[in-house]
Amino acid sequence: MAVGEQQQPEGTRLRRATDAHEQPPPDLADQHARLTPGLKRMFGARVTGGEDLADDLAQRTWMNVWRAVSAGKFDPTRAAFSTFVYAVATNVWRQYLRDSTREKNRDLAAAAGEGLRASNPTGLKPVAEAGDEAAALAEVLDALRKTMSGGDGAFSEDERWVLRCVADGASDRELAKRLGISASTANDRKQGVFRKLRAFLGAMGQS
Amino acid sequence: MTDVELMQLLRMAREAEEFGSGGVPMALPTQRRPVGRADPYRIFGWASAGLAVAAALTAAVILLRTDAVRSDSGTMVAGGVDPSQNRPSDNGVVVRDPATGFGRASGAGLTALVTADVKSTGSALPELRDSIIVAMYKGSDGTTRCVRVKSHEWDCGRGIEDLSEGELIGFAFESACDSVLEEGPESLVVLAMSGPKGSWSKETTTAEAITACLESSPEVCGSEASCYADVARHCLPAGVTVRAETMEVR
């Protein structure tokens, strides 16, 4: 990449990359319009770099989504499209965190007189790798969504309630308070549900 | 897979659900502070945190004492349902009148909470309830210009009774009607309704029914949240809790 391009703000570079990329297939256009505001809000709530950075991350997500869909990585029978986009967004966010950390380390290394290492400026992974990762994550997340809502009947209502509480971040003490039992009993109950969940995920090939 | 990994996956599944329904997921892995050398700011931060913990502990002791006095005097749990925990209280009686039970009416722009016929289930677990939020944007002539609806699952047994002031309005703005906002609506009415599982057949049908019911009511509610909650309650099946918030947009 030329030096001039490297000095461009990240947003400009990504916008150009998006413009250059082929238009989304018609059936994705609706999804794009529906999910983009949520993506921007999601990233906006996490970044300190302002609206532009949130926009860039949302664009980066869609670029990865389109690449993965074009490469046939999204299978609608395995996960909902919104879950797939969420999974891609999760990967994009993690990649952004990794890149930020790497850049900080690079600055520190540069300050200490060490050589610079090349980084990946767009944060894009090879399509096959990124798409497979997101598809697998989306499948697991969708299975968990169904489990918590009782759609698959694999868990009892009580077990689903515990799972939802844990998903909401409830601690053992909070579970205990809501159930009117001791924290250790609540933990036992949670561990029982976790054992079942592990077996459930194991059957899906996730361990 | 460790407990932590399982918990992370469960949280992500919940967020994916929120994301798919147009809500705002809030807990992707957050940006961690880079590990670095201790600096004076950090030392000052730890010292401040220590002082804050000490102050919080002192406050907690005082509050616990106050709570104990309140519980003894019976003002926290009115009977039938413990609104602070969204679960039946031990005596299991039926609360009927919202105005005299824990129903709470307030003035314009504030929140109103009305409960109809909430009955104890006697279950060991907090009762599972389905909730739905309907946001109505009204024009200057009082007609409803745009309605947004979404079903909502409250955090782990948390009910609409536990919402803080203004929280419903926040929900409404998450999925605001952009076109109507540009026009400049006169007011915003948000209703949150929570009923036993399976109370709502279809989101849009429920929203249409509630809107039609409010529109056809002879009562002119203006910006009185309690009025909307009360009118809506009469359109809803028994056992449904209604909470309303209104906001003047201009």
Side-chain angles (χ1 to χ4, degrees):
Chain A
M1 186 179 281
V3 174
E5 268 187 87
Q6 261 185 341
Q7 287 169 345
Q8 283 179 354
E10 195 174 42
T12 314
R13 207 168 50 229
L14 280 167
R15 260 188 288 281
R16 282 180 50 189
T18 311
D19 293 343
H21 201 267
E22 62 184 80
Q23 289 299 306
D27 57 333
L28 286 187
D30 285 350
Q31 298 286 0
H32 179 268
R34 188 174 77 86
L35 297 173
T36 297
L39 264 183
K40 287 182 180 175
R41 284 196 297 265
M42 182 171 87
F43 287 124
R46 287 162 183 77
V47 297
T48 49
E51 210 173 298
D52 279 353
L53 183 53
D55 281 356
D56 285 347
L57 291 170
Q59 285 181 36
R60 203 181 287 185
T61 300
W62 280 113
M63 283 164 67
N64 280 326
V65 167
W66 286 321
R67 284 153 56 99
V69 170
S70 306
K73 299 294 175 189
F74 169 65
D75 178 358
T77 61
R78 290 172 65 191
F81 185 72
S82 64
T83 312
F84 181 71
V85 174
Y86 173 85
V88 172
T90 304
N91 286 346
V92 165
W93 175 247
R94 286 181 171 156
Q95 186 65 43
Y96 166 75
L97 292 181
R98 277 196 290 270
D99 286 350
S100 305
T101 311
R102 205 176 294 147
E103 266 179 38
K104 276 177 195 133
N105 289 342
R106 194 181 55 174
D107 291 345
L108 285 172
E114 295 173 18
L116 300 183
R117 273 177 292 177
S119 66
N120 177 1
T122 62
L124 294 177
K125 278 188 169 187
V127 180
E129 195 188 332
D132 286 339
E133 233 176 68
L137 177 60
E139 190 179 5
V140 171
L141 295 182
D142 242 24
L144 289 175
R145 282 174 64 175
K146 283 188 192 125
T147 297
M148 283 192 278
S149 65
D152 57 5
F155 287 72
S156 71
E157 197 164 289
D158 288 4
E159 289 166 338
R160 290 201 309 273
W161 186 85
V162 171
L163 286 177
R164 284 200 299 270
C165 284
V166 172
D168 288 337
S171 65
D172 287 352
R173 288 183 69 179
E174 284 164 331
L175 274 178
K177 192 177 161 194
R178 289 180 193 282
L179 293 168
I181 54 180
S182 72
S184 62
T185 312
N187 183 265
D188 286 347
R189 195 177 286 197
K190 186 180 83 179
Q191 288 304 330
V193 179
F194 275 9
R195 270 194 295 279
K196 196 167 171 181
L197 188 62
R198 282 192 186 95
F200 174 81
L201 291 172
M204 285 182 66
Q206 302 289 328
S207 52
Chain B
M1 201 173 279
T2 66
D3 283 5
V4 174
E5 286 167 337
L6 276 181
M7 284 190 269
Q8 178 69 13
L9 272 179
L10 287 168
R11 287 193 84 168
M12 287 167 73
R14 282 302 284 265
E15 287 163 9
E17 188 151 357
E18 283 273 299
F19 176 67
S21 65
V24 188
M26 288 306 293
L28 276 180
T30 48
Q31 197 154 11
R32 273 173 286 189
R33 283 169 63 94
V35 179
R37 284 169 295 179
D39 56 40
Y41 292 108
R42 183 169 295 179
I43 292 165
F44 177 73
W46 279 110
S48 306
L51 285 172
V53 168
L57 283 173
T58 312
V61 170
I62 293 167
L63 280 175
L64 277 173
R65 287 186 173 180
T66 314
D67 272 359
V69 172
R70 275 194 195 167
S71 294
D72 288 342
S73 62
T75 52
M76 289 294 279
V77 181
V81 167
D82 176 355
S84 66
Q85 293 189 26
N86 192 29
R87 58 178 297 185
S89 63
D90 294 337
N91 52 6
V93 294
V94 177
V95 176
R96 285 204 64 82
D97 189 351
T100 55
F102 68 79
R104 181 164 62 86
S106 61
L110 298 179
T111 308
L113 173 65
V114 178
T115 306
D117 304 321
V118 178
K119 192 178 178 184
S120 162
T121 61
S123 163
L125 288 175
E127 185 191 10
L128 289 170
R129 291 172 78 82
D130 280 344
S131 300
I132 197 164
I133 298 172
V134 179
M136 286 174 277
Y137 293 83
K138 288 178 171 290
S140 54
D141 55 356
T143 55
T144 305
R145 296 277 176 80
C146 165
V147 179
R148 280 280 194 262
V149 60
K150 65 179 268 193
S151 54
H152 184 76
E153 197 166 305
W154 306 97
D155 295 349
C156 186
R158 187 171 173 243
I160 61 174
E161 303 87 349
D162 306 318
L163 283 170
S164 55
E165 200 84 38
E167 211 170 330
L168 265 186
I169 297 287
F171 277 119
F173 275 115
E174 278 174 12
S175 53
C177 309
D178 293 336
S179 57
V180 175
L181 279 180
E182 279 165 23
E183 283 174 25
E186 188 78 7
S187 62
L188 169 62
V189 178
V190 192
L191 291 168
M193 293 157 286
S194 172
K197 217 147 179 63
S199 292
W200 320 111
S201 51
K202 204 178 168 192
E203 286 176 23
T204 45
T205 316
T206 307
E208 280 166 14
I210 287 291
T211 311
C213 174
L214 288 174
E215 298 262 284
S216 64
S217 166
E219 204 146 358
V220 180
C221 289
S223 58
E224 236 182 283
S226 59
C227 173
Y228 287 106
D230 205 36
V231 172
R233 184 175 64 89
H234 290 107
C235 316
L236 294 165
V240 171
T241 305
V242 185
R243 184 164 179 150
E245 279 188 21
T246 61
M247 195 180 89
E248 295 293 324
V249 178
R250 60 179 178 189

